Amino acid sequence: MSIHQSERSLFVFCLLLLLFCVKPSKMPAQMNWTEIDVQAEAILKTMSLKQKVGQTCQITVEGILRFNPDGTLPLPLQVNGEELSEAVQTYKVGSILNAPGRALPRTEWLKLIQAIHAPYVKKEIDIPILYGVDAIHGANYVLGATLFPQEIGLAATFNVDLARQFGEVTAVETRSSGVPWNFSPVLDLGRQPLWSRFFETLGEDPKLASVLGASIVKGYQGDLNQSKLGPDRVLACMKHFVGYSASASGRDRTPAIVSPRDLTELYLVPFKSAVEAGALTVMINSASLNGMPGHINSHLITDVLKNKWGFKGFAVTDWEDILFLDRVHQVAASHKDAIAMAINAGIDLSMVPLNPQYKEYCRLLEELVLEGGVPMARLDDAVKRILRVKLAAGLFDVPSKKNKTVPITLQSESAVLAAKQAVSESLTLLKNEHSVLPLKPNSSILVLGQAAADRRFWNGAWTHTWQGRDSSYFSTDISLLKEWQQRAQTQQGKVDYLVGSSWSESTGIPNEGAGLTPQNQKSIESADVCVVFVSEWPGTEKPGDEENPFVTQNQMDLVHELKAAGKRVVVVLMLGRPKLLGSILDDADAIVHAYLPGEHFTQPFLDKIYGSADFSGRLPFTYPRYPGRWEHYDHANSETIAKDNSGNGYNPLFDFGFGLSYATWSVDASSISADTLRSADTVWLEVRLRHNADRPCQVTVPVFGSRRNLPIAQRGKYLIDFQKKWVPQGNSALFRFPLSVSQFEFSDYNGNWTQARGPIRLDVFNSTLNVYLEP
Ligand code: BGC
Ligand code: BGC
């Protein structure tokens, strides 16, 4: 039996998948566990203590590869056979992770995974190795894969089907490189604008993040109503459970303080929804929540996630996080103590992941079990969970010999179409004065900013490398400026480019004095409109920490100089977190938020700014105005009181859900099917929307609810539901929202969901409806 054969069958499946361009469908998400449980039990019974311990250990791939003396990675990759067999045969390690510092051609990935799978195929080990990577916005470690917008851009689409398509494409391209497990989606809420991983979130709202997050999970894992993941799917990993993004300082992996009520109503919600969608693995928050490091929080991991929600998969630590209990959080007296605390709290797999630390981990865990510091029953439970997931992923299966090799195409037509659609629906128009947009086809355009010409700024971190700062892996055939020039020339227009503002390669801080020079004056004078790309240096986790909440001064100055020169200025934001705009807000005539759009930015962007397509993206977060205030649309009523005691003290730059379009929309009619909402009832809220454009237009309709006179102060309003639709030319469309009692539960002081009778106000655009809740 050879691994090639499994890949052949995989290729056939993948090809079929792409040919039929899988359509999203509503399928039950639960796996048939009975059969899997029986198999996992049977395997567990045959295992020695060493084998069980090894199953809970994950190492990084760097430890089993040979590197050049200068630290670079040779291609083709060279697996270090002794290190591999020491890990998987001697220590019985059950899982390996990571890209070896860089993206690889798909063929290299396949060879690597084949080499790692070989000891199982050759029956040198009994249990196959589970390999995981971070495929965060597409298979970003496979060269030539389809790179989508980062999650924050995906969230701006408010499009559930697109989220699923993103998941499907990412799954196909990841699995086609041999990797069955993806450390994604991030389900942390983006409510702290300083946090370096804001762009990895689906925005600030629990409802939006839940719906889109669950959809991504279904895209990754497919229909689970069988006993196995399809060969074109990957295991999802919900992360980072829970509260990671709420860091008070905004710095990565620093403490969060979240009330029980906010935990219930906000931060836990997307995880619960992903569990219901069938997500099979979870990664734990590296930081502390309310003083307790995520990795020892048995209440959240064991009581809530596993017992209350019925999560059947396994919990993996984040990078080195058991060691950090001792070294960083200092809650454990030793490495051994830390292991006991984490495993007993409900950790199933430890991303140790370095060598020789993993050997110590295995030795110490074995000791702990023998001494009773970790009960055998807990170890058995951890191993059983891991075995279940390995069985569910089909890792034990003998590859079929029937299928012929059919090479899979990365960036297939349908994959690229989905990525372009995601970009198209994410682009959010925040300001448009003097009708500067759409640009006239024959105008003379001056484009400025390093990000216009440097695709690292389109993609952000988790692109080819961890921090996404290495440009050498990008293919050379995508150029915004070239396509823009071609497009303009056909209409007697003109496009020029000046860098204007740039970043230092060595420090990632803005280059001083790189602004406009006297020699540039001619280009500026001859331009009708200047389009300035405002960006941030790519980064994530600690390297992405940032002290300055503002867009850099040099970029503000550039926009200001152009404005002072009497130019019309369009600003394109390529930002992963909502940086304060300072003077840009007034200096720019138009502002387009592009988030981190990925590789397929050019065409959708040009379509929007020339007006051949309309904008439909909406902000998935509240855009802050002041450096001393992080505001959220779902704030308490008391936050609306201003300095002079009048309202509205809540004053963000742009509200959650904000986004302009060229078409004008109006509410034709709205209604509610009953005055009272009772348990077991469904009441229908209906809204008819009309636009004035002479082409079909897409619109997102959010429904916000608000309540008062309840035993705990309520959020002013919060998102109840949303729908996105195409509305035909010059026409109207009916949006129908089912309302049920469960949508109006709220958390009490202690974090328990509760229900109470009373009035509910519902807002859809400028139309308000009322219903009385009688649960
Ligand atoms: C990150 C995770 C990631 C893991 C594996 C950690 O440092 O926090 O999000 O999945 O490394 O690369
Ligand atoms: C991983 C990151 C991790 C980092 C730690 C990288 O290779 O992919 O997720 O946090 O190493 O140094």
Side-chain angles (χ1 to χ4, degrees):
M1 141 181 79
S2 117
I3 190 76
H4 288 304
Q5 270 122 18
S6 73
E7 284 144 22
R8 282 172 195 171
S9 50
L10 176 62
F11 294 153
V12 172
F13 273 104
C14 294
L15 189 84
L16 289 177
L17 175 90
L18 295 174
L19 283 178
F20 292 112
C21 174
V22 177
K23 289 227 174 63
S25 54
K26 290 202 179 85
M27 297 181 201
Q30 282 311 316
M31 203 99 192
N32 173 6
W33 285 112
T34 328
E35 193 188 323
I36 290 185
D37 273 347
V38 172
Q39 291 175 32
E41 281 290 352
I43 298 168
L44 188 68
K45 285 211 179 85
T46 67
M47 289 171 74
S48 66
L49 175 57
K50 268 208 165 48
Q51 277 182 309
K52 291 179 185 174
V53 165
Q55 280 307 301
T56 73
C57 178
Q58 186 186 51
I59 61 169
T60 182
V61 69
E62 283 95 336
I64 56 142
L65 290 176
R66 286 189 206 284
F67 284 80
N68 295 320
D70 65 355
T72 56
L73 192 71
L75 280 191
L77 293 179
Q78 293 170 26
V79 172
N80 184 330
E82 297 92 76
E83 295 287 1
L84 176 64
S85 77
E86 183 171 37
V88 304
Q89 283 178 256
T90 313
Y91 286 88
K92 322 270 181 219
V93 164
S95 179
I96 302 183
L97 90 148
N98 226 358
R102 50 155 295 172
L104 300 171
R106 195 176 60 96
T107 47
E108 284 297 317
W109 271 116
L110 286 169
K111 277 194 286 179
L112 174 66
I113 303 298
Q114 181 183 349
I116 289 171
H117 202 45
Y120 173 72
V121 174
K122 288 192 259 167
K123 299 203 182 333
E124 290 163 0
I125 58 174
D126 300 326
I127 297 163
I129 307 294
L130 176 57
Y131 201 100
V133 296
D134 295 276
I136 300 294
H137 67 123
N140 39 236
Y141 284 130
V142 180
L143 288 174
T146 312
L147 296 180
F148 279 75
Q150 296 277 0
E151 268 186 43
I152 195 68
L154 206 58
T157 70
F158 278 70
N159 188 325
V160 187
D161 292 344
L162 272 177
R164 181 158 180 147
Q165 286 173 40
F166 156 74
E168 285 166 353
V169 170
T170 304
V172 170
E173 295 190 357
T174 301
R175 195 83 197 244
S176 89
S177 71
V179 175
W181 184 22
N182 186 7
F183 304 135
S184 175
V186 166
L187 299 172
D188 301 306
L189 295 179
R191 296 175 75 88
Q192 163 51 285
L194 285 172
W195 191 44
S196 67
R197 309 189 73 171
F198 194 101
F199 70 93
E200 296 181 48
T201 74
L202 291 164
E204 81 181 7
D205 183 74
K207 173 76 187 180
L208 180 63
S210 300
V211 173
L212 298 185
S215 193
I216 295 174
V217 167
K218 289 179 192 162
Y220 287 159
Q221 298 190 160
D223 171 19
L224 293 185
N225 196 19
Q226 38 188 291
S227 58
K228 233 159 265 162
L229 216 66
D232 47 9
R233 305 292 173 153
V234 290
L235 299 164
C237 185
M238 313 175 276
K239 67 190 199 183
H240 308 78
F241 190 75
V242 58
Y244 181 18
S245 63
S247 130
S249 73
R251 294 171 61 215
D252 188 55
R253 290 170 159 80
T254 59
I257 306 294
V258 179
S259 70
R261 182 257 182 108
D262 279 3
L263 202 58
T264 297
E265 282 188 357
L266 303 175
Y267 294 95
L268 285 170
V269 178
F271 288 93
K272 173 115 189 295
S273 144
V275 170
E276 285 161 5
L280 288 167
T281 76
V282 65
M283 192 184 291
I284 305 301
N285 170 15
S286 180
S288 69
L289 175 68
N290 301 332
M292 174 154 322
H295 288 75
I296 58 169
N297 197 326
S298 64
H299 169 64
L300 288 172
I301 304 172
T302 299
D303 303 346
V304 175
L305 175 70
K306 292 181 177 175
N307 295 343
K308 195 163 156 196
W309 296 353
F311 171 66
K312 301 273 277 177
F314 68 76
V316 60
T317 72
D318 203 340
W319 189 272
E320 285 195 286
D321 266 314
I322 291 189
L323 282 162
F324 274 30
L325 291 174
D326 167 19
R327 282 200 224 144
V328 179
H329 296 295
Q330 306 187 340
V331 291
S334 62
H335 187 193
K336 187 168 174 178
D337 237 20
I339 296 171
M341 289 170 90
I343 304 287
N344 289 337
I347 293 295
D348 303 304
L349 177 63
S350 172
M351 188 187 290
V352 185
L354 303 174
N355 189 357
Q357 288 87 330
Y358 84 83
K359 296 176 185 165
E360 189 178 66
Y361 167 86
C362 290
R363 184 173 56 75
L364 293 174
L365 179 55
E366 193 178 337
E367 272 176 34
L368 279 163
V369 177
L370 291 171
E371 294 159 8
V374 169
M376 183 61 99
R378 173 72 269 271
L379 180 65
D380 281 350
D381 173 58
V383 175
K384 197 173 150 189
R385 286 171 178 275
I386 293 165
L387 290 173
R388 267 190 202 138
V389 172
K390 288 186 174 186
L391 287 160
L395 296 186
F396 284 89
D397 295 355
V398 179
S400 142
K401 298 188 177 169
K402 280 187 238 143
N403 302 308
K404 292 207 180 85
T405 304
V406 184
I408 191 166
T409 321
L410 294 169
Q411 294 201 62
S412 70
E413 214 175 300
S414 61
V416 170
L417 211 64
K420 281 188 180 166
Q421 193 61 25
V423 178
S424 172
E425 295 192 29
S426 72
L427 294 170
T428 308
L429 183 61
L430 297 177
K431 180 177 179 184
N432 190 20
E433 277 179 8
H434 319 113
S435 301
V436 61
L437 292 180
L439 298 173
K440 315 236 163 359
N442 60 355
S443 44
S444 186
I445 311 288
L446 179 62
V447 182
L448 300 105
Q450 185 177 349
D454 185 337
R455 294 192 338 263
R456 288 176 300 174
F457 297 92
W458 305 8
N459 285 283
W462 303 111
T463 305
H464 306 136
T465 58
W466 178 35
Q467 296 299 314
R469 293 172 183 166
D470 191 333
S471 55
S472 60
Y473 302 107
F474 285 107
S475 59
T476 52
D477 58 350
I478 306 168
S479 158
L480 170 68
L481 296 164
K482 210 169 75 193
E483 257 185 66
W484 200 336
Q485 272 151 358
Q486 281 165 1
R487 188 144 169 169
Q489 270 157 19
T490 58
Q491 310 273 350
Q492 281 79 49
K494 190 164 156 283
V495 177
D496 281 327
Y497 175 66
L498 283 180
V499 177
S501 73
S502 63
W503 298 87
S504 151
E505 281 301 319
S506 53
T507 59
I509 58 176
N511 283 325
E512 292 300 333
L516 300 174
T517 60
Q519 294 92 295
N520 296 156
Q521 287 312 318
K522 247 182 83 194
S523 323
I524 298 170
E525 269 159 33
S526 65
D528 301 320
V529 179
C530 297
V531 180
V532 187
F533 282 71
V534 166
S535 57
E536 54 173 331
W537 187 241
T540 186
E541 301 185 46
K542 281 284 176 202
D545 276 358
E546 176 66 273
E547 298 77 35
N548 179 7
F550 284 94
V551 157
T552 59
Q553 189 63 44
N554 69 328
Q555 300 188 85
M556 283 192 233
D557 291 347
L558 176 65
V559 175
H560 190 70
E561 273 181 68
L562 297 166
K563 186 67 189 174
K567 294 290 136 182
R568 289 283 160 90
V569 186
V570 176
V571 166
V572 180
L573 302 176
M574 280 197 171
L575 300 174
R577 55 194 138 191
K579 289 256 172 188
L580 299 176
L581 297 184
S583 55
I584 287 177
L585 178 69
D586 289 335
D587 288 338
D589 297 284
I591 302 176
V592 176
H593 208 320
Y595 312 93
L596 298 172
E599 285 290 87
H600 298 284
F601 170 66
T602 299
Q603 191 206 319
F605 171 70
L606 294 177
D607 286 350
K608 302 282 172 202
I609 59 168
Y610 280 104
S612 49
D614 203 349
F615 286 90
S616 71
R618 288 177 165 267
L619 274 185
F621 51 83
T622 310
Y623 208 115
R625 183 187 292 273
Y626 309 110
R629 267 210 222 170
W630 299 148
E631 300 190 285
H632 297 292
Y633 87 93
D634 50 1
H635 54 274
N637 196 42
S638 55
E639 293 188 51
T640 60
I641 302 172
K643 278 187 195 171
D644 62 359
N645 272 328
S646 70
N648 196 345
Y650 165 69
N651 188 20
L653 200 54
F654 304 107
D655 225 334
F656 168 82
F658 181 75
L660 301 168
S661 53
Y662 295 135
T664 308
W665 291 89
S666 56
V667 177
D668 260 8
S670 62
S671 66
I672 194 145
S673 65
D675 300 337
T676 311
L677 176 60
R678 293 191 177 80
S679 309
D681 271 8
T682 301
V683 168
W684 290 89
L685 185 156
E686 295 190 351
V687 190
R688 184 167 281 284
L689 276 194
R690 174 178 299 284
H691 69 80
N692 64 351
D694 53 8
R695 61 181 168 200
C697 286
Q698 219 177 358
V699 69
T700 295
V701 181
V703 180
F704 293 104
S706 52
R707 302 194 65 186
R708 55 200 309 168
N709 307 340
L710 295 177
I712 187 161
Q714 293 298 294
R715 301 175 197 290
K717 64 171 186 179
Y718 56 98
L719 187 67
I720 298 294
D721 204 353
F722 62 91
Q723 282 176 23
K724 188 171 194 178
K725 265 192 203 171
W726 282 97
V727 180
Q729 171 172 346
N731 211 328
S732 70
L734 186 66
F735 292 77
R736 300 186 78 229
F737 296 93
L739 303 176
S740 64
V741 167
S742 63
Q743 283 162 299
F744 301 97
E745 285 179 341
F746 57 92
S747 165
D748 69 10
Y749 183 76
N750 296 315
N752 302 310
W753 284 112
T754 163
Q755 191 54 273
R757 62 202 295 265
I760 297 171
R761 173 187 159 133
L762 296 159
D763 285 289
V764 191
F765 297 120
N766 56 358
S767 154
T768 299
L769 297 150
N770 295 291
V771 66
Y772 196 86
L773 184 71
E774 196 75 70

